[in-house]
Amino acid sequence: MSTHESSRRPGDGLVRVGGVVFLVGAVATLVTLVPLFVGADPLPSIAYAVSMLMGVGFLIAAAGLFLSISRQRAVAKAAQRQSQGTA
């Protein structure tokens, strides 16, 4: 397997997207906490809703990891069956 092929595994895209969504949620969480520390008026509810993207991003990344794990198990199981059949 070449380096180019190994860099494109199932679930990698979901992990990347999940990481980006998580970071957006983390930044939104920090932004919503700033008014609490500086004594300003709280932000609108939509800002707190965007903070929930942190959890959504985590779930997307976890789904990508589980997809990658299941695909690797299927490949390993197929290789094991093939080696047992030729032995």
Side-chain angles (χ1 to χ4, degrees), residues 19-38:
V20 170
V21 172
F22 181 87
L23 287 176
V24 169
V27 169
T29 300
L30 292 174
V31 169
T32 56
L33 290 177
V34 168
L36 299 174
F37 291 116
V38 297

Side-chain angles (χ1 to χ4, degrees), residues 7-78:
S7 65
R8 288 182 157 182
R9 285 181 262 157
D12 284 354
L14 284 175
V15 172
R16 287 185 185 121
V17 169
V20 170
V21 172
F22 181 87
L23 287 176
V24 169
V27 169
T29 300
L30 292 174
V31 169
T32 56
L33 290 177
V34 168
L36 299 174
F37 291 116
V38 297
D41 291 332
L43 296 174
S45 297
I46 191 69
Y48 294 97
V50 173
S51 296
M52 297 298 162
L53 288 177
M54 221 161 91
V56 172
F58 181 78
L59 290 175
I60 292 170
L65 285 174
F66 286 126
L67 179 65
S68 180
I69 289 168
S70 68
R71 181 66 183 146
Q72 287 177 7
R73 282 186 175 182
V75 168
K77 191 178 281 189

